[in-house]
Amino acid sequence: MTTELDPGLQAELGPIMAASAQMDKPEVGDVLTRRRYARAMFEHLASARAAVPQVEVTEYVTVAEDGTEMTLHWYRLADTSGPGSAALYLHGGGMIYGLDEVGALYDSVVRGYVAASGVPMLVPDYRVAPEHPHPSPVQDCYAGLVWLADHADELGVDPGRLAVMGDSAGGGLAAGVCLLARDRGGPSIARQLLIYPMLDDRTPAPDSALASLLTWSYDDNITGWQALLSGTAGTDGLVAYGAPARAGDLSGLPPTYLDVGDLDLFHDETNRYAAALTAAGVPTELHVTPGCPHAFEILAPDVPVSKRIVAERVRRLRSV
């Protein structure tokens, strides 16, 4: 593992990370301060991205497992019939940031994937912790998948060509949704795409060589998992739908694509999950990108390494 940023990222992120290092850091468990910081950052990042006007968005509503109404955002290329495939896209946010904090940025991110791949995407406004701990977030996301499969005909989608995709917390939720679908005999999933997924509630011991390069820190991770799991993160007996790294059986899951940077706190757990999928007979493709921290392609989308990894994801989307 390198301990230096990719040269292109260094030029873009180096000054930002240096300035961030001088800021007061929220204490472990301080969700509200983290949300305030996140909203400002994500809105700034969204404002710097180019518009993608050729993608249209329609809102729908479904009912989650506990009877709560949930908004669904359907993204598709305007004036096209689409390829027949579709993806459920689950946004990141450390299990504690909802669309209120990250929505402006993810609107742009999802539009970009749809425009590049032609594959329409459904984005559920899933609830987040600590107000809505496990199992609400993964059950909300699963309800989005069920809605997509149930409404495939009216959306012009082949229900046999559905992917589940997510990044960071959304990647962990995507893995949990695929486990739920397998165990419940739910909708067929043709592919899961897990982007630097948040899979393991057992946060590793801090590595001083890595700490200054993390864009999602050890304290952030502990805060997110403790919020999701109501203070039980790291204990015995947790179910895999909330923390997929706990799964003892990964057989029968859909072909999987994963990617992660080697300066990401989730590097090791992503590699372990990929190895476990392979051992379970699941066709698995893993990309580990040197010199890249968590969410590098969102923080610096125009850097060559960011464009390369996004192109890999688009390639896999097009193959669904």
Side-chain angles (χ1 to χ4, degrees):
M1 177 187 294
T2 182
T3 55
E4 295 183 355
L5 285 171
D6 171 89
L9 290 175
Q10 176 63 47
E12 290 282 329
L13 297 184
I16 297 172
M17 296 174 79
S20 176
Q22 303 304 312
M23 297 175 60
D24 292 336
K25 299 295 188 294
E27 297 291 330
V28 170
D30 185 351
V31 171
L32 294 182
T33 300
R34 284 179 169 82
R35 284 177 177 167
R36 186 171 67 251
Y37 287 174
R39 182 180 289 108
M41 180 184 71
F42 282 112
E43 288 178 352
H44 171 72
L45 291 170
S47 70
R49 297 175 72 100
V52 190
Q54 66 268 40
V55 175
E56 62 181 23
V57 186
T58 306
E59 287 191 0
Y60 297 95
V61 175
T62 191
V63 177
E65 197 159 320
D66 64 1
T68 302
E69 286 193 346
M70 177 176 63
T71 303
L72 306 168
H73 306 271
W74 176 242
Y75 291 75
R76 61 180 294 275
L77 281 174
D79 303 320
T80 65
S81 59
S85 58
L88 179 76
Y89 193 95
L90 308 177
H91 69 78
M95 307 295 182
I96 55 175
Y97 306 152
L99 289 184
D100 284 347
E101 289 77 31
V102 305
L105 179 61
Y106 275 96
D107 177 73
S108 178
V109 168
V110 173
R111 285 174 183 270
Y113 282 129
V114 173
S117 68
V119 178
M121 290 185 161
L122 185 73
V123 179
D125 187 5
Y126 66 84
R127 292 169 290 175
V128 296
E131 295 85 354
H132 304 283
H134 178 75
S136 291
V138 72
Q139 288 182 350
D140 288 358
C141 295
Y142 182 75
L145 174 67
V146 171
W147 185 94
L148 180 57
D150 287 348
H151 292 79
D153 285 348
E154 68 184 77
L155 297 173
V157 169
D158 179 349
R161 296 176 61 194
L162 301 181
V164 177
M165 180 177 181
D167 67 274
S168 193
L173 291 167
V177 165
C178 290
L179 288 165
L180 272 176
R182 179 198 65 181
D183 295 347
R184 293 183 175 184
S188 174
I189 301 172
R191 186 95 70 246
Q192 62 175 338
L193 294 91
L194 310 180
I195 311 305
Y196 36 77
M198 186 175 178
L199 299 164
D200 199 334
D201 60 291
R202 296 159 292 192
T203 300
D207 178 346
S208 59
L210 185 62
S212 65
L213 296 168
L214 296 176
T215 56
W216 177 253
S217 72
Y218 296 98
D219 286 355
D220 294 334
N221 203 52
I222 293 168
T223 297
W225 278 115
Q226 293 291 13
L228 180 72
L229 301 176
S230 301
T232 65
T235 63
D236 294 335
L238 297 180
V239 296
Y241 305 127
R246 300 284 194 145
D249 177 14
L250 299 182
S251 63
L253 291 172
T256 304
Y257 167 95
L258 308 97
D259 71 55
V260 68
D262 71 350
L263 300 180
D264 194 320
L265 182 60
F266 300 154
H267 168 271
D268 290 356
E269 64 199 66
T270 300
N271 278 264
R272 288 193 297 268
Y273 202 69
L277 286 164
T278 299
V282 177
T284 301
E285 176 180 350
L286 170 66
H287 294 257
V288 179
T289 312
C292 293
H294 193 67
F296 66 93
E297 85 296 355
I298 289 178
L299 297 168
D302 296 325
V303 171
V305 69
S306 299
K307 292 182 177 181
R308 288 199 302 272
I309 201 63
V310 169
E312 292 293 342
R313 300 169 191 169
V314 168
R315 173 183 60 84
R316 294 303 286 171
L317 272 172
R318 287 174 173 163
S319 72
V320 176

